[in-house]
Amino acid sequence: MAGPQWKKFKSSFCEFIGVLVRQCQYSIIYDEYMMDTVISLLTGLSDSQVRAFRHTSTLAAMKLMTALVNVALNLSINMDNTQRQYEAERNKIIGKRANDRLELLLQKRKELQENQDEIENMMNAIFKGVFVHRYRDAIAEIRAICIEEIGIWMKMYSDAFLNDSYLKYVGWTMHDKQGEVRLKCLTALQGLYYNKELNSKLELFTSRFKDRIVSMTLDKEYDVAVQAIKLLTLVLQSSEEVLTAEDCENVYHLVYSAHRPVAVAAGEFLYKKLFSRRDAEDDGILKRRGRQSPNANLVKTLVFFFLESELHEHAAYLVDSMWDCATDLLKDWECMNSLLLEEPLNGEEPLTDRQESALIEIMLCTIRQAAECHPPVGRGTGKRVLTAKEKKTQLDDRTKITELFAVALPQLLAKYSVDAEKVTNLLQLPQYFDLEIYTTGRLEKHLDALLRQIRDIVEKHTDIDVLEACSKTYHALCNEEFTIFNRVDIARSQLIDELADKFNRLLEDFLQEGEEPDEDDAYQVLSTLKRITAFHNAHDLSRWDLFGCNYKLLKTGIENGDMPEQIVIHALQCTHYVILWQLAKVTESSSTKEDLLRLKKQMRVFCQICQHYLTNVNTAVKEQAFTILCDVLMIFSHQIMTGGRDMLEPLVYTPDSSLQSELLSFILDHVFIDQDDDNNSADGQQDDEASKIEALHKRRNLLAAFCKLIVYTVVEMNTAADIFKQYMKYYNDYGDIIKETMSKTRQIDKIQCAKTLILSLQQLFNEMIQENGYNFDRSSPTFSGIKELARRFALTFGLDQLKTREAIAMLHKDGIEFAFKEPNPQGESHPPLNLAFLDILSEFSSKLLRQDKRTVYVYLEKFMTFQMSLRREDVWLPLMSYRNSLLAGGDDDTMSVISGISSRGSTVRNKKTKPATGKRKVPEAEESSSSDSMWLNREQSMHTPVMMQTPQLTSTIMREPKRLRPDENYMGVYPMQPEHHQAPLDYKQQEEAARQQQERAAMNYVKLRSNLQHAIRRGTSLMEDDEEPIVEDVMMSSEGRIEDLNEGMDFDTMDIDLPPSKNRRERTELKPDFFDPASIMDESVLGVSMF
């Protein structure tokens, strides 16, 4: 049952059972009638073959058992109280002892004992009659109910139920194959382990099933994994000796899980295990701060754990996992800062270089988490709306961060200025500052110190990551909203002025004619160019006119051919930034025509330079030129005018055919290659798995950049043919990219996309001919691969044939023309050279509508001669199979009307059967000619399977002659001779004409009846009662393979889930025993004793 109404009813039903027992607990339940009747009823229903009876009765029995357990608990408490009273009264001296009270207490204890025995009998009856059978029921929901309730019994009345006889059922069911049942087991155990007083009773269970609980932390159901980790946390709190180091390590690594609830649960386990213990001496130094605070050792422990996990790129995940349970520790930035800056105390070991790097990375991640208040990328569903309390906490944290690190950051940068990794992380801190505090807190001198340190770092380092971090820091500080803008802008301008002057001076010396540039000059030029490029990425450096000097550098490299590759790469990147900043300036402000023309000229010249470098001998240079070219062509395509920017029309640039072909050649030469052929180890290092993955990622980006040009119609769509034909060969590496490109191109132009697909198949066919000649084997792997690719292409058209009707028809047209394009030089008695292509084309025949098959067949006949239609040799098999694929829908065309009539007549098969509700198909008008129907009947008779015995016509059809009137039903398929208008005849002639017309009508009726019998004979197997509908996949190809059917469901299709069958045959096949151990539990449980 689903829905709020049924949920409310279920809760009310369960409450009713509890209230009933509670109200009757003093007398009625002991009358030996009501409870015995109810228990017998529920026990019998719980063994029913009807699932609804079994489920409801099991639920009622378990709730009844819970209510009885509560009654038994109260009786046990009353018995203990009565026993204490009796012992107290009996221990009195004889003079003060009340014998009457002793007798009353003795009688009360005896009555309570009898009631207790009776309640235990009831509980045993329910447990053995219902629970023992239903905890292993075939229905997971019933099993979950049983496990949930037994957990309540053990928690409520632990003296009676918390023993091995009952715990074993929970332990066994932890191996259940349904996550819902496993989850109930874990929640039941959590209630037991939470009470530390029960730990002694759980020792044997823990030792027996601890390994299973640890393995459930990797459960495929995330909810189960979360609860398993929480259960282990409770086990850890109860006794730390139970879990071994290996058990804990299995949970530790889950802090890096992408699923946040699992990671948070693992983070809490890690915190309880490693960070929650505090020595007695720590209580005396709680007020100490910095390096002497109690958190200092915990921070070191966190660093040691991070380094031992060897996942140094996932510090953000570790911090996020522990953020909820260890907030005070992770926000103790003062302690982290002291550990980095202050000298170690006496006897304290200093942090190693590796540990300092890890601490800086963890500190950066904690600052980012506090400032942004959302999980890292890949964990979580996105940014959520913060509450007022969270916003206040965020502002307070940013203030605390700024006040601390505005002073400490220059000192940290000065200490680690030569370490690229540390500096890169430290330079990201100002992005999370509240810059207003520099003014309000009078911290301008610390800002000046920070700017000086950044300038020194720029001069010392040439690493791209460090330079980009410096550039982003300047960008974060150069905010016009704050008063510090002028101070930072002056420092930035001075730095860029020096870099630009130095670059121009070095470039003049470097490009002097007649002199051989040495390595030192090249290094100076490269280092300066790297700095300028890194800053140009985030800052507008247009006033320094960097296009001219970069153009000279690149042009010289083309002319001489000896320019170092890194200089060319960074010069291309810097020039790209120049053009992009110019475009942004032109777009945002009112630009003059001269500005547009200058930008257009620079862009065209730059594209020509990149095109030249596409043929460079160095692979890195070619990849850089290709990537930038794709970006520039995408930006300056016709899309640039969208959004009312028509004034940018002069900037639109469409690549010519030569540029398109060069881009395509680059893709074919550098992307569609084998992994072993990719020599990306330029430093002589041997490729390992990591480098292979990185190289594949780079090639995927290159392919995606070119496919984007195809999707946005920057290049011609037919260039995609060379991409599409690689779909099968490189499916594992680029299948998703190629498939998405097909989808997008089909949305743009279905017909052109279909022509591109058939062109890719033609190219593969021609390549095969060049390799093997025209006398190839059609069973060869190459030809079979082309057919398989065609089948995959056909699946991508989806199930809606109307949407792809014109595209499929055009595809067949181009395929037929290609097949008959080159006649055989030996004469017409030999097949055309490309005739075998029709075998490939037949994979698309199933996508044609029936009426379109006729049209395509007529078009095919235009290329065929009379002799071709008579050929039956093996070389003509492609033509024969293609013709048959086009004629496959002829039967349906002929019988379309007859099936409509017979279906209505055959629906009333007997009085118990409901009439069919399917709509009747109307025949197409163009298919009603007599000659076509005779041809179709002839083809139909050739392919008709062996007939079954013809059944008698039902009286339903005979009683409805009005449905068989010639003018309504069969005139379209069996037309009568047309009547000619003539002059009026005499009475005898009119009577003779009427008689002949009646005879013709009678003959047509006989023909119709015979065809009805023929149609019913073909569908005899579908006339049986209670027959399930037969669903055939009409979209499959002639090979009939279905392993990749889902692949074709991505475009314009929908998934339909059919409900399971519930006919009489299925119900009668139910067996009395509903427990199949192999279906719900792992084999490791079966046949294994509990203790």
Side-chain angles (χ1 to χ4, degrees):
M1 295 186 296
Q5 181 179 0
W6 292 111
K7 288 182 180 179
K8 184 178 180 181
F9 171 78
K10 180 180 178 181
S11 62
S12 300
F13 177 68
C14 297
E15 184 182 0
F16 163 75
I17 296 174
V19 172
L20 175 65
V21 175
R22 190 165 59 248
Q23 294 296 328
C24 303
Q25 63 178 323
Y26 299 109
S27 60
I28 299 179
I29 61 175
Y30 306 111
D31 62 2
E32 297 183 357
Y33 175 73
M34 186 191 79
M35 294 303 297
D36 292 351
T37 305
V38 172
I39 292 174
S40 299
L41 173 64
L42 296 178
T43 304
L45 288 176
S46 66
D47 199 31
S48 172
Q49 296 186 11
V50 181
R51 177 194 176 279
F53 290 167
R54 206 165 68 252
H55 173 272
T56 306
S57 60
T58 303
L59 175 63
M62 294 299 100
K63 292 298 180 181
L64 181 63
M65 179 77 168
T66 303
L68 291 176
V69 169
N70 192 25
V71 173
L73 179 61
N74 293 333
L75 287 174
S76 177
I77 295 173
N78 291 334
M79 284 182 62
D80 293 340
N81 293 335
T82 304
Q83 182 65 26
R84 282 197 305 270
Q85 293 175 4
Y86 176 79
E87 294 293 338
E89 190 68 27
R90 194 179 63 173
N91 291 334
K92 291 181 180 178
I93 59 176
I94 298 177
K96 294 184 179 181
R97 184 186 304 168
N99 294 328
D100 295 339
R101 180 171 173 77
L102 283 175
E103 292 180 2
L104 287 175
L105 290 174
L106 201 60
Q107 181 65 27
K108 182 179 179 181
R109 189 182 66 176
K110 182 180 179 181
E111 182 181 348
L112 289 174
Q113 184 64 47
E114 292 176 353
N115 292 342
Q116 181 81 4
D117 295 340
E118 195 164 348
I119 292 294
E120 289 180 358
N121 291 334
M122 295 178 192
M123 292 191 298
N124 286 333
I126 296 176
F127 188 82
K128 294 179 180 179
V130 180
F131 179 88
V132 171
H133 300 287
R134 298 280 70 82
Y135 91 96
R136 54 182 192 174
D137 194 279
I139 304 301
E141 188 177 356
I142 297 177
R143 303 198 299 273
I145 291 172
C146 296
I147 296 302
E148 182 180 12
E149 295 303 317
I150 196 176
I152 296 175
W153 308 337
M154 290 186 290
K155 183 180 179 182
M156 184 187 300
Y157 195 4
S158 58
D159 292 338
F161 288 94
L162 190 56
N163 54 58
D164 303 335
S165 299
Y166 295 97
L167 280 170
K168 64 183 180 182
Y169 296 107
V170 180
W172 289 342
T173 315
M174 282 196 297
H175 295 80
D176 197 283
K177 288 189 176 180
Q178 294 296 323
E180 175 188 2
V181 184
R182 298 195 300 272
L183 185 63
K184 293 296 182 184
C185 294
L186 294 172
T187 53
L189 291 173
Q190 286 176 15
L192 301 177
Y193 280 98
Y194 186 78
N195 188 352
K196 295 185 178 181
E197 297 177 356
L198 305 178
N199 291 339
S200 59
K201 298 182 179 181
L202 292 168
E203 290 180 358
L204 186 58
F205 176 85
T206 304
S207 63
R208 171 65 178 83
F209 290 101
K210 180 198 65 174
D211 294 339
R212 174 56 185 163
I213 298 174
V214 173
S215 67
M216 292 175 74
T217 59
L218 298 175
D219 198 280
K220 64 180 180 180
E221 301 287 344
Y222 286 126
D223 293 340
V224 177
V226 170
Q227 298 305 322
I229 298 172
K230 290 183 178 180
L231 178 58
L232 287 176
T233 306
L234 293 174
V235 174
L236 180 67
Q237 290 176 339
S238 63
S239 176
E240 294 187 1
E241 293 78 14
V242 174
L243 297 178
T244 64
E246 184 180 358
D247 296 332
C248 295
E249 289 176 1
N250 290 331
V251 183
Y252 290 162
H253 74 275
L254 293 176
V255 296
Y256 299 103
S257 171
H259 191 262
R260 193 169 191 271
V262 173
V264 170
E268 185 177 358
F269 178 89
L270 175 66
Y271 182 77
K272 297 288 185 184
K273 178 66 176 176
L274 300 180
F275 301 97
S276 62
R277 293 175 297 175
R278 178 176 294 162
D279 298 333
E281 60 182 18
D282 290 342
D283 296 334
I285 57 173
L286 286 176
K287 295 182 179 180
R288 296 183 182 180
R289 305 174 66 181
R291 195 179 191 99
Q292 298 181 356
S293 69
N295 284 336
N297 290 330
L298 299 181
V299 171
K300 291 181 181 179
T301 304
L302 181 62
V303 171
F304 298 155
F305 172 81
F306 176 58
L307 292 176
E308 289 177 2
S309 62
E310 297 181 355
L311 293 171
H312 308 306
E313 297 178 0
H314 297 79
Y317 284 79
L318 174 62
V319 169
D320 180 60
S321 301
M322 301 182 62
W323 190 255
D324 296 336
C325 60
T327 307
D328 295 337
L329 171 63
L330 297 177
K331 286 185 178 181
D332 195 350
W333 298 300
E334 186 176 355
C335 175
M336 299 180 187
N337 184 52
S338 299
L339 288 173
L340 292 171
L341 289 178
E342 297 178 4
E343 294 296 327
L345 302 175
N346 294 331
E348 182 184 3
E349 292 185 4
L351 294 176
T352 64
D353 180 72
R354 189 160 171 258
Q355 292 170 352
E356 288 178 339
S357 298
L359 177 57
I360 291 174
E361 186 175 357
I362 292 174
M363 182 176 67
L364 170 63
C365 294
T366 58
I367 293 173
R368 182 190 297 119
Q369 185 94 356
E372 296 181 350
C373 291
H374 65 79
V377 177
R379 182 184 284 180
T381 56
K383 296 183 179 180
R384 59 182 180 86
V385 179
L386 301 179
T387 62
K389 183 179 179 180
E390 291 173 336
K391 288 182 179 178
K392 184 179 183 305
T393 304
Q394 182 185 28
L395 293 176
D396 294 342
D397 288 340
R398 292 190 65 181
T399 302
K400 182 180 176 182
I401 291 168
T402 307
E403 290 175 349
L404 175 63
F405 287 99
V407 179
L409 183 58
Q411 302 175 27
L412 291 170
L413 291 175
K415 181 177 181 180
Y416 301 109
S417 60
V418 296
D419 193 314
E421 182 183 1
K422 295 185 180 71
V423 167
T424 303
N425 288 326
L426 289 172
L427 285 171
Q428 298 181 43
L429 297 183
Q431 300 177 27
Y432 310 105
F433 284 1
D434 183 2
L435 300 180
E436 189 67 28
I437 294 179
Y438 272 113
T439 304
T440 58
R442 298 183 178 275
L443 302 175
E444 289 87 354
K445 62 178 182 179
H446 298 289
L447 176 62
D448 294 338
L450 175 62
L451 295 176
R452 286 194 300 271
Q453 291 298 329
I454 297 176
R455 183 189 182 96
D456 293 341
I457 290 171
V458 171
E459 294 175 354
K460 290 179 181 178
H461 290 271
T462 58
D463 185 80
I464 295 297
D465 293 334
V466 176
L467 295 175
E468 288 186 352
C470 294
S471 176
K472 290 178 181 179
T473 303
Y474 272 114
H475 184 266
L477 296 175
C478 285
N479 193 330
E480 296 181 0
E481 298 178 0
F482 301 100
T483 54
I484 64 172
F485 170 74
N486 291 331
R487 190 187 298 263
V488 179
D489 185 47
I490 292 173
R492 179 186 61 176
S493 299
Q494 290 176 351
L495 176 61
I496 301 300
D497 281 337
E498 292 182 6
L499 291 175
D501 293 341
K502 182 179 179 181
F503 180 64
N504 290 325
R505 187 175 63 256
L506 291 172
L507 194 61
E508 290 180 2
D509 298 338
F510 185 71
L511 298 180
Q512 283 182 355
E513 296 182 2
E515 292 188 8
E516 197 69 31
D518 57 6
E519 293 183 359
D520 185 57
D521 293 339
Y523 175 78
Q524 292 292 333
V525 171
L526 176 61
S527 59
T528 308
L529 183 58
K530 278 185 177 181
R531 298 184 179 104
I532 293 176
T533 304
F535 273 86
H536 211 346
N537 186 10
H539 304 271
D540 184 8
L541 309 183
S542 301
R543 56 178 172 161
W544 281 275
D545 191 20
L546 297 172
F547 182 84
C549 53
N550 280 287
Y551 173 73
K552 288 192 296 184
L553 186 62
L554 293 171
K555 190 174 181 181
T556 304
I558 295 175
E559 294 173 352
N560 300 336
D562 57 351
M563 188 68 65
E565 64 171 89
Q566 288 299 318
I567 292 180
V568 174
I569 290 174
H570 287 88
L572 288 172
Q573 190 66 57
C574 186
T575 311
H576 185 209
Y577 290 149
V578 170
I579 291 177
L580 292 183
W581 278 109
Q582 290 287 350
L583 176 62
K585 190 175 181 180
V586 166
T587 305
E588 294 173 359
S589 60
S590 56
S591 57
T592 61
K593 189 175 181 180
E594 289 75 13
D595 295 334
L596 288 175
L597 293 177
R598 182 171 63 254
L599 177 58
K600 177 182 178 180
K601 181 179 179 181
Q602 291 179 352
M603 182 265 297
R604 298 290 177 93
V605 170
F606 181 58
C607 287
Q608 293 176 0
I609 290 176
C610 290
Q611 186 174 357
H612 279 293
Y613 277 107
L614 278 178
T615 57
N616 194 278
V617 294
N618 190 278
T619 303
V621 172
K622 287 190 287 187
E623 290 177 352
Q624 180 78 338
F626 175 85
T627 303
I628 293 177
L629 255 181
C630 290
D631 288 343
V632 172
L633 292 177
M634 189 67 223
I635 294 170
F636 289 92
S637 66
H638 55 87
Q639 306 282 342
I640 199 174
M641 296 188 299
T642 57
R645 294 178 295 184
D646 296 335
M647 70 283 190
L648 300 180
E649 185 179 1
L651 298 177
V652 176
Y653 178 58
T654 303
D656 54 16
S657 58
S658 63
L659 178 56
Q660 294 185 31
S661 62
E662 288 190 34
L663 292 173
L664 180 59
S665 299
F666 175 86
I667 288 293
L668 297 179
D669 295 339
H670 294 83
V671 174
F672 295 108
I673 57 176
D674 295 332
Q675 190 77 24
D676 298 334
D677 298 338
D678 183 20
N679 296 325
N680 60 348
S681 55
D683 300 331
Q685 299 176 353
Q686 207 169 11
D687 290 340
D688 55 0
E689 286 299 321
S691 61
K692 287 182 179 180
I693 293 174
E694 184 178 356
L696 176 61
H697 181 67
K698 183 189 296 184
R699 294 197 301 270
R700 284 174 58 85
N701 288 337
L702 296 174
L703 178 60
F706 184 74
C707 288
K708 192 188 299 183
L709 299 180
I710 298 173
V711 168
Y712 286 93
T713 64
V714 178
V715 299
E716 298 293 335
M717 192 180 295
N718 55 13
T719 58
D722 291 278
I723 307 295
F724 293 164
K725 70 182 182 182
Q726 311 289 345
Y727 182 60
M728 286 290 297
K729 185 176 180 181
Y730 296 95
Y731 180 80
N732 292 333
D733 294 340
Y734 317 116
D736 55 338
I737 299 176
I738 299 176
K739 197 173 183 180
E740 185 66 16
T741 306
M742 289 185 200
S743 175
K744 296 299 183 181
T745 52
R746 183 174 290 114
Q747 293 175 13
I748 297 171
D749 190 341
K750 293 184 177 65
I751 296 179
Q752 188 60 36
C753 177
K755 294 171 74 70
T756 305
L757 291 177
I758 199 67
L759 177 60
S760 64
L761 295 173
Q762 292 171 4
Q763 291 178 356
L764 287 175
F765 186 83
N766 287 331
E767 292 174 4
M768 181 190 65
I769 294 297
Q770 292 177 0
E771 293 180 2
N772 304 323
Y774 289 102
N775 297 325
F776 62 90
D777 184 7
R778 284 191 293 114
S779 62
S780 62
T782 305
F783 188 76
S784 300
I786 301 176
K787 283 196 67 176
E788 176 64 17
L789 179 61
R791 188 183 70 84
R792 296 284 189 99
F793 285 167
L795 290 174
T796 61
F797 282 95
L799 296 173
D800 194 343
Q801 293 175 299
L802 289 176
K803 287 185 177 180
T804 59
R805 181 180 182 182
E806 295 180 0
I808 290 293
M810 185 59 67
L811 185 146
H812 280 272
K813 176 180 177 294
D814 289 357
I816 292 172
E817 292 175 353
F818 176 77
F820 291 92
K821 182 178 180 180
E822 297 186 16
N824 198 309
Q826 300 181 14
E828 294 185 359
S829 60
H830 293 80
L833 299 179
N834 296 336
L835 187 68
F837 189 78
L838 293 179
D839 206 2
I840 300 171
L841 191 61
S842 62
E843 298 292 339
F844 297 92
S845 297
S846 61
K847 298 299 180 182
L848 285 168
L849 293 174
R850 289 196 299 271
Q851 56 267 37
D852 292 343
K853 287 184 179 181
R854 178 65 52 80
T855 305
V856 173
Y857 180 77
V858 171
Y859 189 75
L860 175 65
E861 286 185 325
K862 293 181 179 179
F863 293 87
M864 294 171 51
T865 62
F866 179 73
Q867 294 180 351
M868 291 182 183
S869 60
L870 300 179
R871 293 289 184 178
R872 293 294 181 268
E873 294 84 354
D874 289 345
V875 291
W876 294 93
L877 282 178
L879 177 59
M880 297 163 58
S881 63
Y882 183 57
R883 288 181 61 196
N884 290 336
S885 67
L886 296 177
L887 301 176
D891 301 355
D892 299 331
D893 292 339
T894 310
M895 300 303 296
S896 59
V897 177
I898 299 176
S899 62
I901 301 171
S902 61
S903 63
R904 290 188 299 171
S906 60
T907 50
V908 192
R909 293 190 286 268
N910 53 46
K911 295 182 180 180
K912 296 182 181 179
T913 309
K914 292 184 179 181
T917 58
K919 292 184 179 180
R920 173 176 159 228
K921 291 187 177 180
V922 181
E924 299 290 339
E926 64 267 26
E927 297 175 8
S928 60
S929 64
S930 60
S931 59
D932 290 347
S933 63
M934 290 174 62
W935 180 81
L936 286 171
N937 284 332
R938 185 167 63 249
E939 291 291 331
Q940 172 182 313
S941 63
M942 293 172 59
H943 300 289
T944 301
V946 178
M947 301 296 180
M948 300 180 66
Q949 184 178 0
T950 305
Q952 296 294 328
L953 289 176
T954 62
S955 59
T956 306
I957 298 180
M958 303 304 295
R959 284 197 299 266
E960 296 179 347
K962 62 180 181 179
R963 296 189 182 182
L964 304 179
R965 288 183 298 176
D967 58 340
E968 290 183 1
N969 292 304
Y970 66 91
M971 288 296 290
V973 180
Y974 302 97
M976 299 174 61
Q977 296 295 329
E979 297 181 3
H980 300 281
H981 296 282
Q982 54 185 359
L985 302 175
D986 57 9
Y987 176 77
K988 291 184 178 181
Q989 291 176 338
Q990 291 179 0
E991 186 179 27
E992 180 67 15
R995 185 180 60 79
Q996 293 178 359
Q997 185 175 359
Q998 290 177 358
E999 290 178 357
R1000 286 196 298 270
M1003 293 176 62
N1004 284 327
Y1005 179 80
V1006 172
K1007 291 180 179 179
L1008 176 61
R1009 180 168 178 177
S1010 64
N1011 280 283
L1012 272 173
Q1013 292 176 342
H1014 179 69
I1016 294 172
R1017 185 184 303 118
R1018 287 171 58 88
T1020 300
S1021 59
L1022 299 179
M1023 301 288 288
E1024 299 173 0
D1025 294 340
D1026 295 331
E1027 189 70 19
E1028 289 289 328
I1030 298 176
V1031 182
E1032 295 180 355
D1033 185 13
V1034 298
M1035 303 305 295
M1036 295 305 295
S1037 68
S1038 59
E1039 294 182 6
R1041 282 174 285 182
I1042 64 172
E1043 62 272 13
D1044 293 320
L1045 179 60
N1046 290 333
E1047 186 181 351
M1049 302 299 124
D1050 292 348
F1051 311 112
D1052 302 327
T1053 60
M1054 60 183 295
D1055 295 330
I1056 302 174
D1057 292 329
L1058 298 177
S1061 171
K1062 293 184 177 66
N1063 56 17
R1064 286 201 300 271
R1065 288 172 299 175
E1066 182 177 333
R1067 292 197 296 269
T1068 56
E1069 290 173 359
L1070 288 174
K1071 301 296 186 297
D1073 187 5
F1074 294 92
F1075 173 54
D1076 181 9
S1079 65
I1080 65 172
M1081 294 186 180
D1082 293 345
E1083 295 179 357
S1084 58
V1085 190
L1086 306 178
V1088 179
S1089 62
M1090 163 66 180
F1091 302 104

